[in-house]
Structures are given as structure tokens and as C-alpha cells.
Amino acid sequence: MPTYRELIQHSQIERFDAQVLLLHLMQKNRAWLIAHDDEEASEAVVAAFSALAARRLEGEPVAYLVGSREFFGREFRVTPSVLIPRPDTELLVELALERAPKNGNIIDLGTGSGCIPITIKLERPDLQVSALDLSGDALLVAQANAHTLQAEVRFLQSDWLKAVAGESFDLIVSNPPYIHCEDDHLNQGDLRFEPTGALTDGHDGLHHLNTIIEQAPAHLKQGAWLLLEHGWDQGEACRDLLQRAGFAEVKTWQDLGQNDRVSGGRWAAP
Ligand code: GLN
């Protein structure tokens, strides 16, 4: 049987991915691999690793193969029913944390794995946090994450803000599906395995962003922020929509790659 090192070397997938898959199978951490990489793998491990590596070679995302992804320093369970949390979305969370008033009432729209509201609640236990998603399967994943990470978040199944009619919030955040339905990235790489409804709006990418911007004012307290994640080329369009809807202090922020990533504004009722 090959050693662990040989198993990784001969896997045909990226070295980092191979290490993550092997460590997941062994239920060990990276330090263990460094100390034990010249040991012979068992037949069962070789078989299980080869099966995972073959799936990775076909393009399945590592996060789905191991069933989790780290976000803001915590492990979130993910299944093919939810988008895999992206590091870019940490910017949205940071901006929300800076703007959420003490003891405020916060809501996340299209929550997916629940990475946004759960992180917000754990970083700011003073806040009351709610999260909505249209997908019942996604909500099951989000609820399981909240339970494991012990975050008290209210989850509701909802078509955008419909389920919270009559409620007002101190901050609304969302990372909605914003990819243009004809964007070729949808047919490439890991995106092929993620839920289409979490990636694209089936239109030009601005459809859901626009719906949220239209619905939000009825649910925002005076001076409350709406913060939206979007594509690198949608900053101007989002600012335009926010301004037309009557938001003040409209602004776009860049992610670590210097791309426009989040736009937002404050609701100042006329
Ligand atoms: N809110 C979730 C995330 O940021 C899901 C977003 C989505 O499905 N578009 O990962």
C-alpha cells in the first residue's frame, strides 16, 4: 500500500485538495499529516480516498465532498442544497457588524447555509437575528448549523420579505443570487455543482437585488442600513437602484481583490 505522501502525490488533484480530503477521511489535522506522511495507508483508506479524489477530478467542490466549509473562523455544514460560503462574504458581515446598533433587530435574506446570520449572532450576542430563505432544504442546513454552533437565530421560509410583513429592522443584509443567467461561469468549475437558484436570478443578475431594494424600505427603521453583496460589475447599477428607491449615504465597498462587492444605503423616510 502507498504511504500517505504517495497517496497525495499520485492523486492527480491539487495537492491542497488532496490533503483536505485525506485529513477529512482520517479525522486528523494538518500537524498529524506532517508527522505521519511516510506511514503506509490502509487498504480501506486508499479505497475511500481514491473514490473522493475521483469525484474531485470530475469537478465536485471539496466543501461538498467533506460536508463543511470554514467561514469567519467557524466550520459550517454544507450540502448541495446551499451555496458554499465565500471569503468575499466576510466583508458583508464585517460591514453589518459595524453598523448594527446595540440590541438591534437584524435580518438576512436568502440565508443558504446560514453563515451570515449565525456569524452575526455569535459575534454580537446583543442583536436579535432573523434569517429567511425560499428553500426548505437550505433552511434545514442553516438550522443545523445554528444548533451546532449554538447561535440563537429565528429562521423562516419566505419569498424575500413576505413572511415578515409588518416587521421593521435596524439592518437588512443579503447575498442574493446575482449572476447573469447567461454567464458562462455557471457552466464551469465548482459552480456547476451549486444550486442554480442560489447563484442566478434567471435574468440579468439584478432582478433579486432590485426586488430586495424595492421591498426593503417597508421593513427598515429610520436611518437603518440595507447592505447587499453583488458581482464585481454591479456596483454602479446597485447604487443607482438604491438612490432611485430613496436611500441615503449610498456607497460601494471593495473586497480583498479590490473588486466592488457590497453596496448599501441608509433608509431615511421622506
Ligand atoms: N447567504 C448565503 C451565503 O452568503 C447564501 C447566498 C446565496 O445562496 N446566494 O453564503
Side-chain angles (χ1 to χ4, degrees):
M1 285 293 133
T3 63
Y4 295 121
R5 191 192 306 126
E6 288 165 344
L7 203 55
I8 289 167
Q9 268 169 2
H10 301 145
S11 65
Q12 295 180 53
I13 59 174
E14 279 191 35
R15 183 181 164 76
F16 183 79
D17 291 352
Q19 289 175 339
V20 172
L21 294 178
L22 180 63
L23 292 172
H24 166 70
L25 280 177
M26 307 296 296
Q27 292 292 297
K28 301 282 188 198
N29 62 23
R30 204 158 280 280
W32 175 88
L33 186 59
I34 293 166
H36 297 266
D37 72 346
D38 55 356
E39 283 176 18
E40 201 176 311
S42 72
E43 200 175 331
V45 166
V46 174
F49 176 80
S50 304
L52 283 180
R55 287 169 65 187
R56 178 65 194 133
L57 207 54
E58 290 299 312
E60 265 185 80
V62 172
Y64 290 153
L65 294 173
V66 304
S68 71
R69 173 54 48 98
E70 190 243 280
F71 181 80
F72 225 92
R74 300 181 182 92
E75 282 297 316
F76 286 82
R77 188 179 151 223
V78 293
T79 73
S81 299
V82 299
L83 193 84
I84 299 166
R86 311 289 205 266
D88 295 334
T89 303
E90 294 186 351
L91 170 66
L92 181 65
V93 170
E94 278 162 8
L95 292 168
L97 290 170
E98 284 167 15
R99 282 162 185 74
K102 185 136 181 69
N103 301 322
N105 198 0
I106 312 298
I107 190 160
D108 174 42
L109 316 180
T111 202
S113 65
C115 63
I116 295 171
I118 293 169
T119 303
I120 290 176
K121 180 66 188 178
L122 293 174
E123 295 295 318
R124 286 280 305 275
D126 61 294
L127 302 173
Q128 284 179 59
V129 183
S130 304
L132 310 178
D133 206 291
L134 183 61
S135 157
D137 289 341
L139 286 169
L140 289 175
V141 175
Q143 273 162 329
N145 278 320
H147 181 75
T148 309
L149 293 165
Q150 300 194 340
E152 203 190 311
V153 175
R154 175 179 67 146
F155 291 100
L156 296 169
Q157 188 162 17
S158 180
D159 182 1
W160 300 119
L161 284 149
K162 279 198 187 131
V164 290
E167 291 186 40
S168 300
F169 300 90
D170 295 291
L171 194 148
I172 297 179
V173 283
S174 183
N175 174 23
Y178 54 69
I179 302 178
H180 192 298
C181 64
E182 279 162 15
D183 190 322
D184 206 36
H185 287 103
L186 294 168
N187 308 314
Q188 295 168 17
D190 292 10
L191 266 57
R192 290 172 297 155
F193 294 85
E194 293 184 280
T196 311
L199 293 164
T200 175
D201 55 9
H203 299 267
D204 62 355
L206 291 167
H207 183 75
H208 291 320
L209 286 162
N210 190 28
T211 301
I212 295 169
I213 291 168
E214 278 179 357
Q215 290 188 8
H219 299 271
L220 286 167
K221 295 183 193 166
Q222 180 75 11
W225 281 89
L226 169 63
L227 295 169
L228 297 167
E229 181 169 331
H230 53 71
W232 61 274
D233 57 353
Q234 293 171 325
E236 198 182 331
C238 275
R239 287 194 303 278
D240 207 41
L241 290 171
L242 285 162
Q243 262 148 4
R244 280 192 217 190
F247 282 84
E249 294 180 49
V250 171
K251 203 179 148 158
T252 297
W253 292 267
Q254 278 85 35
D255 60 20
L256 292 172
Q258 304 303 321
N259 291 310
D260 283 358
R261 184 58 59 196
V262 175
S263 291
R266 290 183 89 162
W267 183 244

